[in-house]
Amino acid sequence: MDRRNRRVLLLGAVGAIAVFAVLFFLVGAGRIIDSLLSADLTFVAFTFALALCWLLSWSLMLRTVLAALGVGVSVRTAFLVYAGAVFANNVTPFGQAGGEPVAAGLISKVSDSRYETGLVGIASVDVLNVVPSISLVFVGVGYYATTAAIGERLEDAVGTAVVLIGGIVLGIALVWRYRERIVDRLPAVIAPRLGLLGIERFDPEQLEADLTERLQRFFENIERVGTDRWRLALVVGLSLAGWLFQAAALMAAFAALGHTVPVYVLLFAIPLANLAGAAPLPGGLGGIEAAFVSLLVPTTGIEASAVTAAVLIFRGAIYWMPTLIGGASVSAFGVRALR
């Protein structure tokens, strides 16, 4: 890791600690700790088991997408690779935007596929995960609106989600609409300018030809995934299962503290809170926890200390456990590659 990346990671870690410090100060660190110490360990273990089911569901998504691209991996390898992708997302700022290049390199290494194939694989999983999340937000908020008045905070969160997701969808649509122009013109713009970054060992003409070929394969791979309807339906189904496993895990975390939360609240709280992962924090650490607390306290009526404790248990299963598994798998794959 170079000096610049270390500085970015350090700043992100400091930012996450600062967010946690403010959260603990506002809610009350003593009350949060008391709630955590009172947790039923059986339900805590159940939370982690459901998180493993979520991780398996989305690793099977990756395996299915890679199969559509002609890359075959075992269930075990897909699980470890996806855990490695989650690890990359969790230790780099801006969530998936920071971790996808690392994850693509990992997929390429373990499957002997091209880098752009791995990038299409992990990017397709991330993009397709948006489809069920949008549905869950509107279903959950719609049902919640029939039982209680929607507060200003929830309205703002839903509005932000709609704008952000709409912008992402529009951006993807524009890139796909003008993909031929991108392939024709972008390499000619990028290649001559790499010399300005100190990369002088590349021949600009050869680099331009290489970039053009890679972009062509990239878009061809995306088209292969999008036109395989049966696999696409399976992938979306696995994505939905993963979101539901996350909701069940958060429900188990609340049950560990003796609280029951309506499932429709969790259906929209989880996707909305995860939008905070776009913050310049490692995997959204700190920001996502704060977003959960700000959403769940007014919508559940449970005291802030208990909500914070439940969220910390849930994030221990969803964030820290995959990070440890993924870090170990990345290390193991790295050692194997060196050998």
Side-chain angles (χ1 to χ4, degrees), residues 59-108:
S59 65
L60 290 176
M61 279 182 69
L62 177 60
R63 183 172 183 261
T64 305
V65 170
L66 291 177
L69 298 173
V71 178
V73 294
S74 66
V75 173
R76 175 181 175 275
T77 299
F79 179 83
L80 293 176
V81 167
Y82 188 74
V86 174
F87 166 78
N89 291 333
N90 287 350
V91 299
T92 54
F94 304 105
Q96 277 81 4
E100 277 189 348
V102 179
L106 179 61
I107 294 170
S108 176

mmCIF file of all heavy atoms in Angstrom, residues 59-108:
data_model
loop_
_atom_site.group_PDB
_atom_site.id
_atom_site.type_symbol
_atom_site.label_atom_id
_atom_site.label_comp_id
_atom_site.label_asym_id
_atom_site.label_seq_id
_atom_site.Cartn_x
_atom_site.Cartn_y
_atom_site.Cartn_z
ATOM 1 N N SER A 59 -22.909 -14.567 -2.515
ATOM 2 C CA SER A 59 -21.784 -15.231 -3.173
ATOM 3 C C SER A 59 -22.298 -16.151 -4.280
ATOM 4 O O SER A 59 -21.655 -16.302 -5.325
ATOM 5 C CB SER A 59 -20.959 -16.034 -2.160
ATOM 6 O OG SER A 59 -21.708 -17.104 -1.599
ATOM 7 N N LEU A 60 -23.490 -16.737 -4.087
ATOM 8 C CA LEU A 60 -24.104 -17.536 -5.152
ATOM 9 C C LEU A 60 -24.540 -16.640 -6.308
ATOM 10 O O LEU A 60 -24.542 -17.072 -7.466
ATOM 11 C CB LEU A 60 -25.299 -18.322 -4.602
ATOM 12 C CG LEU A 60 -24.952 -19.468 -3.640
ATOM 13 C CD1 LEU A 60 -26.227 -20.089 -3.092
ATOM 14 C CD2 LEU A 60 -24.091 -20.520 -4.328
ATOM 15 N N MET A 61 -24.921 -15.395 -6.004
ATOM 16 C CA MET A 61 -25.178 -14.422 -7.074
ATOM 17 C C MET A 61 -23.944 -14.258 -7.944
ATOM 18 O O MET A 61 -24.014 -14.308 -9.173
ATOM 19 C CB MET A 61 -25.523 -13.053 -6.468
ATOM 20 C CG MET A 61 -26.923 -12.851 -5.995
ATOM 21 S SD MET A 61 -27.118 -11.151 -5.368
ATOM 22 C CE MET A 61 -26.989 -10.216 -6.905
ATOM 23 N N LEU A 62 -22.804 -14.026 -7.290
ATOM 24 C CA LEU A 62 -21.554 -13.841 -8.026
ATOM 25 C C LEU A 62 -21.229 -15.078 -8.851
ATOM 26 O O LEU A 62 -20.830 -14.970 -10.024
ATOM 27 C CB LEU A 62 -20.417 -13.543 -7.053
ATOM 28 C CG LEU A 62 -19.019 -13.381 -7.659
ATOM 29 C CD1 LEU A 62 -18.996 -12.219 -8.654
ATOM 30 C CD2 LEU A 62 -17.980 -13.171 -6.568
ATOM 31 N N ARG A 63 -21.410 -16.247 -8.276
ATOM 32 C CA ARG A 63 -21.133 -17.496 -9.001
ATOM 33 C C ARG A 63 -22.027 -17.625 -10.228
ATOM 34 O O ARG A 63 -21.561 -18.036 -11.307
ATOM 35 C CB ARG A 63 -21.348 -18.686 -8.065
ATOM 36 C CG ARG A 63 -21.028 -20.048 -8.677
ATOM 37 C CD ARG A 63 -21.093 -21.139 -7.614
ATOM 38 N NE ARG A 63 -20.716 -22.427 -8.164
ATOM 39 C CZ ARG A 63 -21.577 -23.350 -8.560
ATOM 40 N NH1 ARG A 63 -22.886 -23.112 -8.475
ATOM 41 N NH2 ARG A 63 -21.154 -24.503 -9.046
ATOM 42 N N THR A 64 -23.298 -17.248 -10.103
ATOM 43 C CA THR A 64 -24.236 -17.347 -11.220
ATOM 44 C C THR A 64 -23.876 -16.358 -12.323
ATOM 45 O O THR A 64 -23.931 -16.687 -13.509
ATOM 46 C CB THR A 64 -25.667 -17.087 -10.727
ATOM 47 O OG1 THR A 64 -25.972 -17.998 -9.650
ATOM 48 C CG2 THR A 64 -26.672 -17.287 -11.845
ATOM 49 N N VAL A 65 -23.510 -15.136 -11.935
ATOM 50 C CA VAL A 65 -23.110 -14.129 -12.920
ATOM 51 C C VAL A 65 -21.853 -14.569 -13.652
ATOM 52 O O VAL A 65 -21.750 -14.463 -14.884
ATOM 53 C CB VAL A 65 -22.893 -12.760 -12.246
ATOM 54 C CG1 VAL A 65 -22.236 -11.782 -13.218
ATOM 55 C CG2 VAL A 65 -24.216 -12.193 -11.756
ATOM 56 N N LEU A 66 -20.877 -15.086 -12.907
ATOM 57 C CA LEU A 66 -19.635 -15.547 -13.537
ATOM 58 C C LEU A 66 -19.896 -16.721 -14.475
ATOM 59 O O LEU A 66 -19.256 -16.830 -15.531
ATOM 60 C CB LEU A 66 -18.622 -15.948 -12.465
ATOM 61 C CG LEU A 66 -18.035 -14.804 -11.625
ATOM 62 C CD1 LEU A 66 -17.104 -15.352 -10.540
ATOM 63 C CD2 LEU A 66 -17.284 -13.813 -12.508
ATOM 64 N N ALA A 67 -20.858 -17.576 -14.114
ATOM 65 C CA ALA A 67 -21.205 -18.696 -14.998
ATOM 66 C C ALA A 67 -21.761 -18.182 -16.318
ATOM 67 O O ALA A 67 -21.490 -18.745 -17.384
ATOM 68 C CB ALA A 67 -22.219 -19.612 -14.315
ATOM 69 N N ALA A 68 -22.546 -17.087 -16.255
ATOM 70 C CA ALA A 68 -23.069 -16.484 -17.485
ATOM 71 C C ALA A 68 -21.950 -15.925 -18.347
ATOM 72 O O ALA A 68 -22.106 -15.795 -19.564
ATOM 73 C CB ALA A 68 -24.066 -15.377 -17.139
ATOM 74 N N LEU A 69 -20.814 -15.609 -17.731
ATOM 75 C CA LEU A 69 -19.667 -15.082 -18.461
ATOM 76 C C LEU A 69 -18.679 -16.180 -18.860
ATOM 77 O O LEU A 69 -17.592 -15.892 -19.370
ATOM 78 C CB LEU A 69 -18.942 -14.036 -17.590
ATOM 79 C CG LEU A 69 -19.771 -12.807 -17.212
ATOM 80 C CD1 LEU A 69 -19.000 -11.943 -16.215
ATOM 81 C CD2 LEU A 69 -20.112 -11.996 -18.453
ATOM 82 N N GLY A 70 -19.070 -17.431 -18.607
ATOM 83 C CA GLY A 70 -18.207 -18.552 -18.983
ATOM 84 C C GLY A 70 -17.106 -18.846 -17.990
ATOM 85 O O GLY A 70 -16.135 -19.534 -18.318
ATOM 86 N N VAL A 71 -17.246 -18.334 -16.761
ATOM 87 C CA VAL A 71 -16.240 -18.567 -15.721
ATOM 88 C C VAL A 71 -16.854 -19.454 -14.653
ATOM 89 O O VAL A 71 -17.835 -19.076 -14.008
ATOM 90 C CB VAL A 71 -15.758 -17.236 -15.087
ATOM 91 C CG1 VAL A 71 -14.753 -17.509 -13.979
ATOM 92 C CG2 VAL A 71 -15.163 -16.334 -16.148
ATOM 93 N N GLY A 72 -16.302 -20.641 -14.479
ATOM 94 C CA GLY A 72 -16.831 -21.583 -13.503
ATOM 95 C C GLY A 72 -16.024 -21.599 -12.218
ATOM 96 O O GLY A 72 -14.799 -21.754 -12.262
ATOM 97 N N VAL A 73 -16.688 -21.429 -11.082
ATOM 98 C CA VAL A 73 -16.039 -21.519 -9.773
ATOM 99 C C VAL A 73 -16.928 -22.347 -8.863
ATOM 100 O O VAL A 73 -18.153 -22.390 -9.040
ATOM 101 C CB VAL A 73 -15.781 -20.128 -9.145
ATOM 102 C CG1 VAL A 73 -14.774 -19.332 -9.956
ATOM 103 C CG2 VAL A 73 -17.080 -19.343 -9.002
ATOM 104 N N SER A 74 -16.333 -23.003 -7.886
ATOM 105 C CA SER A 74 -17.105 -23.801 -6.943
ATOM 106 C C SER A 74 -17.843 -22.893 -5.970
ATOM 107 O O SER A 74 -17.543 -21.693 -5.848
ATOM 108 C CB SER A 74 -16.176 -24.743 -6.172
ATOM 109 O OG SER A 74 -15.298 -23.985 -5.338
ATOM 110 N N VAL A 75 -18.820 -23.468 -5.258
ATOM 111 C CA VAL A 75 -19.558 -22.698 -4.252
ATOM 112 C C VAL A 75 -18.602 -22.184 -3.177
ATOM 113 O O VAL A 75 -18.697 -21.031 -2.745
ATOM 114 C CB VAL A 75 -20.678 -23.562 -3.627
ATOM 115 C CG1 VAL A 75 -21.342 -22.832 -2.465
ATOM 116 C CG2 VAL A 75 -21.716 -23.942 -4.679
ATOM 117 N N ARG A 76 -17.679 -23.043 -2.749
ATOM 118 C CA ARG A 76 -16.720 -22.640 -1.716
ATOM 119 C C ARG A 76 -15.861 -21.478 -2.196
ATOM 120 O O ARG A 76 -15.666 -20.493 -1.460
ATOM 121 C CB ARG A 76 -15.831 -23.836 -1.345
ATOM 122 C CG ARG A 76 -14.702 -23.507 -0.364
ATOM 123 C CD ARG A 76 -13.866 -24.748 -0.073
ATOM 124 N NE ARG A 76 -12.716 -24.411 0.758
ATOM 125 C CZ ARG A 76 -11.560 -23.954 0.296
ATOM 126 N NH1 ARG A 76 -11.417 -23.747 -1.019
ATOM 127 N NH2 ARG A 76 -10.566 -23.682 1.114
ATOM 128 N N THR A 77 -15.345 -21.592 -3.415
ATOM 129 C CA THR A 77 -14.504 -20.517 -3.948
ATOM 130 C C THR A 77 -15.296 -19.233 -4.104
ATOM 131 O O THR A 77 -14.818 -18.141 -3.783
ATOM 132 C CB THR A 77 -13.907 -20.931 -5.301
ATOM 133 O OG1 THR A 77 -13.091 -22.096 -5.119
ATOM 134 C CG2 THR A 77 -13.043 -19.818 -5.874
ATOM 135 N N ALA A 78 -16.549 -19.351 -4.593
ATOM 136 C CA ALA A 78 -17.392 -18.162 -4.751
ATOM 137 C C ALA A 78 -17.641 -17.492 -3.407
ATOM 138 O O ALA A 78 -17.614 -16.254 -3.303
ATOM 139 C CB ALA A 78 -18.721 -18.546 -5.399
ATOM 140 N N PHE A 79 -17.852 -18.299 -2.375
ATOM 141 C CA PHE A 79 -18.082 -17.747 -1.035
ATOM 142 C C PHE A 79 -16.859 -16.986 -0.549
ATOM 143 O O PHE A 79 -16.970 -15.855 -0.054
ATOM 144 C CB PHE A 79 -18.430 -18.871 -0.061
ATOM 145 C CG PHE A 79 -18.667 -18.408 1.358
ATOM 146 C CD1 PHE A 79 -19.902 -17.905 1.734
ATOM 147 C CD2 PHE A 79 -17.652 -18.472 2.302
ATOM 148 C CE1 PHE A 79 -20.126 -17.475 3.031
ATOM 149 C CE2 PHE A 79 -17.865 -18.039 3.602
ATOM 150 C CZ PHE A 79 -19.111 -17.541 3.967
ATOM 151 N N LEU A 80 -15.692 -17.593 -0.693
ATOM 152 C CA LEU A 80 -14.466 -16.945 -0.225
ATOM 153 C C LEU A 80 -14.126 -15.712 -1.065
ATOM 154 O O LEU A 80 -13.655 -14.699 -0.536
ATOM 155 C CB LEU A 80 -13.307 -17.944 -0.258
ATOM 156 C CG LEU A 80 -13.420 -19.111 0.728
ATOM 157 C CD1 LEU A 80 -12.265 -20.089 0.537
ATOM 158 C CD2 LEU A 80 -13.458 -18.611 2.165
ATOM 159 N N VAL A 81 -14.373 -15.798 -2.370
ATOM 160 C CA VAL A 81 -14.094 -14.656 -3.236
ATOM 161 C C VAL A 81 -15.032 -13.502 -2.922
ATOM 162 O O VAL A 81 -14.610 -12.342 -2.827
ATOM 163 C CB VAL A 81 -14.211 -15.059 -4.724
ATOM 164 C CG1 VAL A 81 -14.229 -13.824 -5.617
ATOM 165 C CG2 VAL A 81 -13.055 -15.959 -5.125
ATOM 166 N N TYR A 82 -16.325 -13.807 -2.728
ATOM 167 C CA TYR A 82 -17.251 -12.720 -2.419
ATOM 168 C C TYR A 82 -16.943 -12.122 -1.048
ATOM 169 O O TYR A 82 -17.049 -10.896 -0.858
ATOM 170 C CB TYR A 82 -18.703 -13.183 -2.465
ATOM 171 C CG TYR A 82 -19.649 -12.011 -2.348
ATOM 172 C CD1 TYR A 82 -19.829 -11.141 -3.418
ATOM 173 C CD2 TYR A 82 -20.315 -11.741 -1.159
ATOM 174 C CE1 TYR A 82 -20.654 -10.033 -3.312
ATOM 175 C CE2 TYR A 82 -21.141 -10.636 -1.044
ATOM 176 C CZ TYR A 82 -21.304 -9.787 -2.121
ATOM 177 O OH TYR A 82 -22.101 -8.681 -2.006
ATOM 178 N N ALA A 83 -16.560 -12.968 -0.097
ATOM 179 C CA ALA A 83 -16.136 -12.446 1.205
ATOM 180 C C ALA A 83 -14.923 -11.533 1.036
ATOM 181 O O ALA A 83 -14.815 -10.494 1.703
ATOM 182 C CB ALA A 83 -15.813 -13.588 2.158
ATOM 183 N N GLY A 84 -14.017 -11.918 0.131
ATOM 184 C CA GLY A 84 -12.880 -11.059 -0.166
ATOM 185 C C GLY A 84 -13.303 -9.746 -0.776
ATOM 186 O O GLY A 84 -12.728 -8.687 -0.492
ATOM 187 N N ALA A 85 -14.345 -9.789 -1.630
ATOM 188 C CA ALA A 85 -14.872 -8.557 -2.224
ATOM 189 C C ALA A 85 -15.482 -7.665 -1.152
ATOM 190 O O ALA A 85 -15.300 -6.440 -1.163
ATOM 191 C CB ALA A 85 -15.911 -8.898 -3.291
ATOM 192 N N VAL A 86 -16.210 -8.265 -0.213
ATOM 193 C CA VAL A 86 -16.789 -7.499 0.891
ATOM 194 C C VAL A 86 -15.670 -6.890 1.734
ATOM 195 O O VAL A 86 -15.768 -5.733 2.168
ATOM 196 C CB VAL A 86 -17.699 -8.396 1.757
ATOM 197 C CG1 VAL A 86 -18.198 -7.639 2.988
ATOM 198 C CG2 VAL A 86 -18.889 -8.887 0.942
ATOM 199 N N PHE A 87 -14.626 -7.666 1.966
ATOM 200 C CA PHE A 87 -13.463 -7.143 2.704
ATOM 201 C C PHE A 87 -12.888 -5.917 2.001
ATOM 202 O O PHE A 87 -12.618 -4.890 2.642
ATOM 203 C CB PHE A 87 -12.400 -8.238 2.815
ATOM 204 C CG PHE A 87 -11.045 -7.737 3.244
ATOM 205 C CD1 PHE A 87 -10.790 -7.446 4.573
ATOM 206 C CD2 PHE A 87 -10.033 -7.557 2.312
ATOM 207 C CE1 PHE A 87 -9.543 -6.977 4.970
ATOM 208 C CE2 PHE A 87 -8.793 -7.087 2.696
ATOM 209 C CZ PHE A 87 -8.534 -6.798 4.036
ATOM 210 N N ALA A 88 -12.737 -6.005 0.679
ATOM 211 C CA ALA A 88 -12.197 -4.871 -0.078
ATOM 212 C C ALA A 88 -13.107 -3.662 0.030
ATOM 213 O O ALA A 88 -12.643 -2.522 0.177
ATOM 214 C CB ALA A 88 -12.015 -5.271 -1.548
ATOM 215 N N ASN A 89 -14.423 -3.888 -0.032
ATOM 216 C CA ASN A 89 -15.369 -2.783 0.112
ATOM 217 C C ASN A 89 -15.317 -2.166 1.502
ATOM 218 O O ASN A 89 -15.483 -0.956 1.666
ATOM 219 C CB ASN A 89 -16.798 -3.267 -0.168
ATOM 220 C CG ASN A 89 -17.025 -3.627 -1.618
ATOM 221 O OD1 ASN A 89 -16.362 -3.108 -2.506
ATOM 222 N ND2 ASN A 89 -17.946 -4.539 -1.870
ATOM 223 N N ASN A 90 -15.092 -3.019 2.514
ATOM 224 C CA ASN A 90 -15.145 -2.555 3.897
ATOM 225 C C ASN A 90 -13.895 -1.831 4.359
ATOM 226 O O ASN A 90 -13.918 -1.163 5.400
ATOM 227 C CB ASN A 90 -15.412 -3.739 4.836
ATOM 228 C CG ASN A 90 -16.848 -4.231 4.749
ATOM 229 O OD1 ASN A 90 -17.696 -3.596 4.134
ATOM 230 N ND2 ASN A 90 -17.123 -5.362 5.359
ATOM 231 N N VAL A 91 -12.809 -1.972 3.634
ATOM 232 C CA VAL A 91 -11.564 -1.319 4.069
ATOM 233 C C VAL A 91 -11.169 -0.174 3.142
ATOM 234 O O VAL A 91 -10.112 0.415 3.312
ATOM 235 C CB VAL A 91 -10.398 -2.321 4.176
ATOM 236 C CG1 VAL A 91 -10.706 -3.393 5.208
ATOM 237 C CG2 VAL A 91 -10.077 -2.944 2.822
ATOM 238 N N THR A 92 -12.024 0.128 2.156
ATOM 239 C CA THR A 92 -11.750 1.250 1.264
ATOM 240 C C THR A 92 -12.888 2.250 1.355
ATOM 241 O O THR A 92 -14.037 1.868 1.595
ATOM 242 C CB THR A 92 -11.607 0.794 -0.200
ATOM 243 O OG1 THR A 92 -12.775 0.053 -0.581
ATOM 244 C CG2 THR A 92 -10.381 -0.070 -0.375
ATOM 245 N N PRO A 93 -12.601 3.537 1.199
ATOM 246 C CA PRO A 93 -13.662 4.543 1.260
ATOM 247 C C PRO A 93 -14.638 4.411 0.096
ATOM 248 O O PRO A 93 -14.334 3.794 -0.921
ATOM 249 C CB PRO A 93 -12.894 5.872 1.174
ATOM 250 C CG PRO A 93 -11.489 5.543 1.537
ATOM 251 C CD PRO A 93 -11.266 4.125 1.074
ATOM 252 N N PHE A 94 -15.815 4.999 0.283
ATOM 253 C CA PHE A 94 -16.870 5.064 -0.741
ATOM 254 C C PHE A 94 -17.444 3.701 -1.096
ATOM 255 O O PHE A 94 -17.959 3.493 -2.184
ATOM 256 C CB PHE A 94 -16.362 5.755 -2.019
ATOM 257 C CG PHE A 94 -15.814 7.123 -1.771
ATOM 258 C CD1 PHE A 94 -14.441 7.355 -1.780
ATOM 259 C CD2 PHE A 94 -16.670 8.183 -1.518
ATOM 260 C CE1 PHE A 94 -13.934 8.624 -1.543
ATOM 261 C CE2 PHE A 94 -16.170 9.456 -1.281
ATOM 262 C CZ PHE A 94 -14.799 9.681 -1.295
ATOM 263 N N GLY A 95 -17.383 2.727 -0.155
ATOM 264 C CA GLY A 95 -18.061 1.449 -0.350
ATOM 265 C C GLY A 95 -17.624 0.716 -1.609
ATOM 266 O O GLY A 95 -16.436 0.547 -1.876
ATOM 267 N N GLN A 96 -18.623 0.297 -2.415
ATOM 268 C CA GLN A 96 -18.338 -0.498 -3.611
ATOM 269 C C GLN A 96 -17.449 0.232 -4.602
ATOM 270 O O GLN A 96 -16.665 -0.394 -5.314
ATOM 271 C CB GLN A 96 -19.654 -0.886 -4.308
ATOM 272 C CG GLN A 96 -20.330 -2.107 -3.733
ATOM 273 C CD GLN A 96 -21.120 -1.791 -2.498
ATOM 274 O OE1 GLN A 96 -21.216 -0.640 -2.102
ATOM 275 N NE2 GLN A 96 -21.687 -2.805 -1.870
ATOM 276 N N ALA A 97 -17.573 1.561 -4.672
ATOM 277 C CA ALA A 97 -16.762 2.313 -5.620
ATOM 278 C C ALA A 97 -15.279 2.150 -5.320
ATOM 279 O O ALA A 97 -14.438 2.163 -6.221
ATOM 280 C CB ALA A 97 -17.149 3.795 -5.578
ATOM 281 N N GLY A 98 -14.930 1.978 -4.038
ATOM 282 C CA GLY A 98 -13.531 1.817 -3.693
ATOM 283 C C GLY A 98 -13.055 0.380 -3.763
ATOM 284 O O GLY A 98 -11.887 0.115 -4.027
ATOM 285 N N GLY A 99 -13.970 -0.580 -3.507
ATOM 286 C CA GLY A 99 -13.556 -1.969 -3.414
ATOM 287 C C GLY A 99 -13.688 -2.776 -4.682
ATOM 288 O O GLY A 99 -13.053 -3.833 -4.811
ATOM 289 N N GLU A 100 -14.496 -2.325 -5.639
ATOM 290 C CA GLU A 100 -14.736 -3.123 -6.846
ATOM 291 C C GLU A 100 -13.465 -3.423 -7.639
ATOM 292 O O GLU A 100 -13.288 -4.551 -8.092
ATOM 293 C CB GLU A 100 -15.776 -2.435 -7.737
ATOM 294 C CG GLU A 100 -17.197 -2.724 -7.307
ATOM 295 C CD GLU A 100 -18.207 -2.235 -8.315
ATOM 296 O OE1 GLU A 100 -17.833 -1.485 -9.228
ATOM 297 O OE2 GLU A 100 -19.389 -2.614 -8.186
ATOM 298 N N PRO A 101 -12.561 -2.449 -7.850
ATOM 299 C CA PRO A 101 -11.331 -2.791 -8.591
ATOM 300 C C PRO A 101 -10.510 -3.875 -7.911
ATOM 301 O O PRO A 101 -9.942 -4.755 -8.576
ATOM 302 C CB PRO A 101 -10.566 -1.460 -8.632
ATOM 303 C CG PRO A 101 -11.626 -0.414 -8.494
ATOM 304 C CD PRO A 101 -12.626 -1.002 -7.559
ATOM 305 N N VAL A 102 -10.448 -3.827 -6.569
ATOM 306 C CA VAL A 102 -9.718 -4.858 -5.828
ATOM 307 C C VAL A 102 -10.416 -6.201 -5.978
ATOM 308 O O VAL A 102 -9.776 -7.239 -6.203
ATOM 309 C CB VAL A 102 -9.615 -4.477 -4.336
ATOM 310 C CG1 VAL A 102 -8.880 -5.557 -3.555
ATOM 311 C CG2 VAL A 102 -8.906 -3.135 -4.177
ATOM 312 N N ALA A 103 -11.748 -6.192 -5.849
ATOM 313 C CA ALA A 103 -12.511 -7.430 -5.976
ATOM 314 C C ALA A 103 -12.368 -8.026 -7.375
ATOM 315 O O ALA A 103 -12.246 -9.249 -7.536
ATOM 316 C CB ALA A 103 -13.988 -7.163 -5.672
ATOM 317 N N ALA A 104 -12.358 -7.171 -8.402
ATOM 318 C CA ALA A 104 -12.196 -7.655 -9.778
ATOM 319 C C ALA A 104 -10.848 -8.339 -9.958
ATOM 320 O O ALA A 104 -10.746 -9.379 -10.609
ATOM 321 C CB ALA A 104 -12.334 -6.499 -10.763
ATOM 322 N N GLY A 105 -9.813 -7.757 -9.364
ATOM 323 C CA GLY A 105 -8.489 -8.374 -9.435
ATOM 324 C C GLY A 105 -8.462 -9.720 -8.737
ATOM 325 O O GLY A 105 -7.822 -10.667 -9.207
ATOM 326 N N LEU A 106 -9.163 -9.825 -7.610
ATOM 327 C CA LEU A 106 -9.219 -11.090 -6.875
ATOM 328 C C LEU A 106 -9.935 -12.164 -7.687
ATOM 329 O O LEU A 106 -9.475 -13.305 -7.778
ATOM 330 C CB LEU A 106 -9.926 -10.867 -5.540
ATOM 331 C CG LEU A 106 -10.091 -12.093 -4.640
ATOM 332 C CD1 LEU A 106 -8.734 -12.662 -4.251
ATOM 333 C CD2 LEU A 106 -10.884 -11.726 -3.391
ATOM 334 N N ILE A 107 -11.076 -11.796 -8.284
ATOM 335 C CA ILE A 107 -11.819 -12.754 -9.117
ATOM 336 C C ILE A 107 -10.952 -13.220 -10.284
ATOM 337 O O ILE A 107 -10.902 -14.412 -10.603
ATOM 338 C CB ILE A 107 -13.114 -12.103 -9.638
ATOM 339 C CG1 ILE A 107 -14.060 -11.823 -8.481
ATOM 340 C CG2 ILE A 107 -13.792 -13.000 -10.680
ATOM 341 C CD1 ILE A 107 -15.250 -10.971 -8.866
ATOM 342 N N SER A 108 -10.272 -12.283 -10.912
ATOM 343 C CA SER A 108 -9.405 -12.616 -12.042
ATOM 344 C C SER A 108 -8.311 -13.583 -11.624
ATOM 345 O O SER A 108 -7.981 -14.535 -12.345
ATOM 346 C CB SER A 108 -8.800 -11.338 -12.618
ATOM 347 O OG SER A 108 -7.886 -11.623 -13.638
#
